Amino acid sequence: MDFAEIPKPKPAQMAVRPNLVGYERLRRSFQWEDLYKELDWLPGGSLNMAHECIDRHANGQRRDQAALLWEGRNGEQEQYTFDQLKEESNRFANVLKGLGIKKGDRVFLFLERIPELYIALFGVLKVGAIAGPLFSAFGPDPVRDRLNNSGTVLLVTSPDLRRRIAQVLPQTPALKHIIVVNKSGRDSQPLVGGDLSYEGLMRQASPQFEIERTTMYDYSVMHYTSGTTGAPKGAVHRHQAIVQQYATGKWVLDLHPTDLYWCTADPGWVTGTSYGMFAPWSNGVTQLIYEGGFSPSRWYELIQRYKVTVWYSAPTAIRMLMKAGKELPGRYDLSSLRHINSVGEPLNPEAVVWGMKVFKQAIHDNWWQTETGAILIANYPWMPVRPGSMGRPIPGIQAGILDDDYNELPPGKDGHLAIRPGWPSMFHAYWQAPERYNSRFLKGWYITGDRARVDADGYFWFVGRTDDVINTAGHLVGPFEVESALIEHPAVAEAGVIGIPDPIAMEVVKAFVALKDGYQPTEELRRDISRFVRQKLAAAVAPREIEFIATMPKTRSGKIMRRLLKARELGLPEGDTSTLEED
Ligand code: PRX
């Protein structure tokens, strides 16, 4: 090991006693059913995430406690108690019911990080519909594809975002209603013909609502995630996921009732729902939601001003904070921070060590995926941290490292990271893609698509991905989606997309493009293609670099050999090229 293990005090000596101690003992005897009694449930054994996160607290002692402290991008501030969130989400549930939305319908949310996004999402859950939050930086194509694949009937959006996707809305035949949120009257012309006004509907809606009696097996939330081939797939979760989101909020984030929690992720990605809504609120904790983007000084200032105690962020953000220098954090009082967590990409050991200097504590890496719904492998407040390791499986989870025949390997060997299926927050489907779903389960394991190894003490170490999916700043980008956008440009004949290493974002998207006859590979054309793709997708997932090549390396069956493009780009051995067809 290159970096020394970071020891931890004994739980009894810690200022706040961790929620999870006695890890080994708990792991041995643990059953998920043991946790069921910590949830509130609805009459008749119904389970609804909105009740567990909001109403249970509003009906109890936390009624007047702040649930959400919101800081807008222009410095606006709002505060909602659990009781206010209950009433507002009830209103929105009534709005949905009035529009005929029923259990199982898909309602998608394409909004900035404003309180209405959170209110709307819980309203959707209250009527038993399936909520699909979309990343607010998306361009028109990803939005259209997701709305169509899911058969979304109602979209909640904002005037700006609606304008951005206006051109594709006529191509979404299942969509019946568009509700537009004009936050604080920010927009002077919020509505287009046929749109419904959020504010208008909410004014008329009752704050009383009886939550749909969903069972733990009913669908709740879906998030699109990218795979190697084909378009992104909608991973669908069930209300049951709340059991594990609650548990990991307690064990891994170590949430205590007095905490002020901040998760920097956008709810368009799974971290922003599982840990920006469900985990903190099922634990009854107050959380800060910041609408704005990344800015080192702003982030430090928010931690200082809100006295954030538990913080959940991502390696790219941490690397950007590192880049902003050691002096900057010294200008802020960051002493409120008690526990820091990170997810989404490998957290470099250097970043953990930097955290020790700047925050006087380790940054705790943990691992999970859209499909897993909640954290599965983690570093815990009481457990020594091995910088560079993702930690150890949570109680109730058995993780293994498998060889290429999917048999378990001993510690120390690299292989497929796999999980024994059946944990509560496990996805239950890829929307209308059962073969895709089934293909993830082999020999009694869920195959994650990551490679890792485990050491003799049960700490897991990330090695890489087994597929072509690109991880840029924690966002998974499917090469196929980017290639599809590129070939819509009139000059592009073929496109191959790979990830290339980047010191901050881990990987950035690079596209290789072969032009149609009659087009010249000029700088102007490159810029035009780049603009075209950015406008269609999102800056975050569009190629950072575009390189023209004369011919695209392909297999005889016509598949683009991204592996070869990558090897050539990085000057690595080209490996087996016997299936290559190049003219
Ligand atoms: O490759 C792994 C990487 O992110 C993938 C999951 O991404 P997504 O489905 O978007 O879920 C994001 C919510 C966590 C994983 O398959 N990944 C996630 N956490 C880590 C990681 N890679 C290395 N270290 C991690 N801690």
Side-chain angles (χ1 to χ4, degrees):
M1 202 189 313
D2 299 325
F3 288 81
E5 183 172 286
I6 298 170
K8 294 284 185 68
K10 291 207 161 41
Q13 293 155 357
M14 295 172 84
V16 175
R17 188 180 157 82
N19 288 319
L20 176 62
V21 289
Y23 171 82
E24 299 291 354
R25 195 167 13 94
L26 187 62
R27 268 188 75 79
R28 271 195 303 276
S29 62
F30 181 77
Q31 295 194 12
W32 285 108
E33 289 72 20
D34 299 344
L35 272 179
Y36 286 7
K37 59 181 177 302
E38 295 189 28
L39 299 180
D40 201 38
W41 300 84
L42 284 166
S46 291
L47 186 70
N48 188 292
M49 296 171 97
H51 175 78
E52 298 300 328
C53 293
I54 309 288
D55 291 29
R56 111 175 251 191
H57 306 304
N59 300 341
Q61 288 175 354
R62 297 208 171 90
R63 186 193 142 91
D64 298 318
Q65 179 192 317
L68 190 169
L69 303 177
W70 180 71
E71 175 103 5
R73 60 174 188 232
N74 306 319
E76 312 97 306
Q77 292 177 359
E78 287 179 12
Q79 178 173 330
Y80 293 79
T81 63
F82 280 106
D83 192 48
Q84 286 166 326
L85 276 191
K86 174 184 169 185
E87 293 208 339
E88 292 296 292
S89 54
N90 277 352
R91 280 199 174 89
F92 196 70
N94 279 315
V95 165
L96 293 174
K97 210 162 179 184
L99 292 168
I101 301 300
K102 50 188 192 320
K103 190 170 161 188
D105 283 345
R106 276 76 63 211
V107 175
F108 273 44
L109 311 161
F110 184 46
L111 281 171
E112 295 85 358
R113 273 193 304 280
I114 53 177
E116 290 76 1
L117 166 58
Y118 298 77
I119 291 164
L121 189 134
F122 284 101
V124 175
L125 296 178
K126 284 185 170 182
V127 296
I130 305 172
L134 294 168
F135 184 37
S136 61
F138 273 153
D141 286 22
V143 175
R144 176 199 54 208
D145 296 348
R146 285 156 178 78
L147 295 181
N148 283 344
N149 179 269
S150 60
T152 291
V153 289
L154 190 148
L155 178 71
V156 189
T157 186
S158 70
D160 266 357
L161 299 184
R162 194 208 184 286
R163 270 192 283 273
R164 196 194 297 158
I165 57 164
Q167 74 209 67
V168 297
L169 287 171
Q171 303 160 25
T172 54
L175 190 63
K176 288 201 207 117
H177 307 286
I178 298 178
I179 298 182
V180 177
V181 182
N182 189 16
K183 177 80 199 157
S184 317
R186 279 177 181 178
D187 203 276
S188 57
Q189 283 191 314
L191 296 184
V192 179
D195 288 355
L196 302 165
S197 153
Y198 174 89
E199 292 75 17
L201 291 165
M202 289 289 272
R203 255 195 305 278
Q204 288 159 20
S206 156
Q208 315 288 332
F209 187 80
E210 186 159 342
I211 295 182
E212 176 74 28
R213 295 287 186 256
T214 42
T215 74
M216 62 200 279
Y217 305 116
D218 283 321
Y219 289 165
S220 54
V221 176
M222 66 193 284
H223 281 280
Y224 277 80
T225 182
S226 298
T228 306
T229 53
K233 303 145 292 172
V236 193
H237 289 283
R238 307 188 289 186
H239 284 272
Q240 188 187 12
I242 197 67
V243 177
Q244 195 171 338
Q245 289 152 351
Y246 165 77
T248 48
K250 209 166 86 153
W251 297 333
V252 181
L253 303 178
D254 196 40
L255 295 171
H256 286 69
T258 50
D259 274 320
L260 193 299
Y261 168 76
W262 184 27
C263 169
T264 58
D266 188 277
W269 309 99
V270 71
T271 310
T273 52
S274 293
Y275 294 96
M277 298 185 190
F278 307 134
W281 283 337
S282 60
N283 278 279
V285 165
T286 306
Q287 66 164 331
L288 165 65
I289 286 157
Y290 174 51
E291 187 191 10
F294 177 80
S295 143
S297 51
R298 189 94 180 113
W299 278 30
Y300 289 133
E301 193 268 328
L302 287 168
I303 292 171
Q304 169 180 279
R305 183 152 46 88
Y306 285 90
K307 298 193 170 47
V308 173
T309 58
V310 180
W311 186 31
Y312 198 12
S313 197
T316 293
I318 291 161
R319 286 190 289 267
M320 292 202 290
L321 290 177
M322 288 169 76
K323 201 172 152 206
K326 275 203 273 275
E327 225 186 64
L328 188 65
R331 290 189 219 145
Y332 299 88
D333 177 3
L334 306 174
S335 61
S336 59
L337 283 172
R338 172 173 72 75
H339 185 42
I340 308 175
N341 303 273
S342 158
V343 75
E345 329 147 48
L347 181 67
N348 343 30
E350 294 83 356
V352 179
V353 171
W354 174 82
M356 291 298 293
K357 290 203 191 100
V358 173
F359 305 116
K360 316 278 179 291
Q361 58 196 298
I363 299 172
H364 295 72
D365 189 16
N366 52 67
W367 178 94
W368 56 293
Q369 305 179 305
T370 305
E371 287 85 347
T372 73
I375 296 169
L376 298 192
I377 298 176
N379 287 286
Y380 308 86
W382 50 271
M383 186 173 86
V385 168
R386 298 188 174 172
S389 164
M390 312 188 288
R392 297 164 77 185
I394 62 165
I397 290 297
Q398 191 192 339
I401 302 294
L402 312 184
D403 64 19
D404 288 344
D405 292 323
Y406 305 106
N407 297 314
E408 202 164 355
L409 286 165
K413 296 251 187 288
D414 288 7
H416 300 273
L417 174 61
I419 312 290
R420 285 279 183 219
W423 64 95
S425 64
M426 189 175 95
F427 71 137
H428 193 251
Y430 283 131
W431 189 255
Q432 291 182 339
E435 312 79 39
R436 274 293 184 90
Y437 181 78
N438 293 335
S439 73
R440 301 296 299 263
F441 298 88
L442 288 166
K443 290 199 177 170
W445 292 94
Y446 164 70
I447 311 298
T448 66
D450 283 350
R451 291 182 72 77
R453 71 176 166 276
V454 58
D455 67 22
D457 301 311
Y459 283 74
F460 281 76
W461 301 74
F462 182 80
V463 174
R465 288 189 62 95
T466 57
D467 58 18
D468 292 338
V469 172
I470 302 157
N471 189 332
T472 180
H475 298 160
L476 295 192
V477 179
F480 177 82
E481 199 174 14
V482 184
E483 288 160 3
S484 307
L486 281 161
I487 58 174
E488 282 184 46
H489 188 282
V492 176
E494 288 175 320
V497 166
I498 60 167
I500 56 170
D502 181 83
I504 298 288
M506 190 168 96
E507 286 186 297
V508 292
V509 180
K510 171 157 185 178
F512 293 87
V513 163
L515 295 174
K516 287 184 185 154
D517 285 347
Y519 286 94
Q520 295 307 313
T522 62
E523 190 48 40
E524 198 189 334
L525 181 58
R526 192 208 315 272
R527 271 200 300 272
D528 189 61
I529 297 173
S530 177
R531 249 193 321 270
F532 177 82
V533 191
R534 263 163 194 274
Q535 198 266 330
K536 276 181 156 318
L537 301 172
V541 304
R544 181 85 64 87
E545 267 183 56
I546 295 180
E547 183 176 328
F548 293 121
I549 51 174
T551 50
M552 194 61 64
K554 277 185 293 188
T555 62
R556 291 205 183 94
S557 60
K559 265 176 73 180
I560 289 163
M561 292 183 82
R562 299 187 190 113
R563 180 175 55 78
L564 197 63
L565 287 172
K566 191 153 180 167
R568 287 176 182 172
E569 170 73 22
L570 303 179
L572 299 171
E574 295 194 358
D576 178 11
T577 54
S578 58
T579 57
L580 179 66
E581 167 125 301
E582 246 182 326
D583 34 51

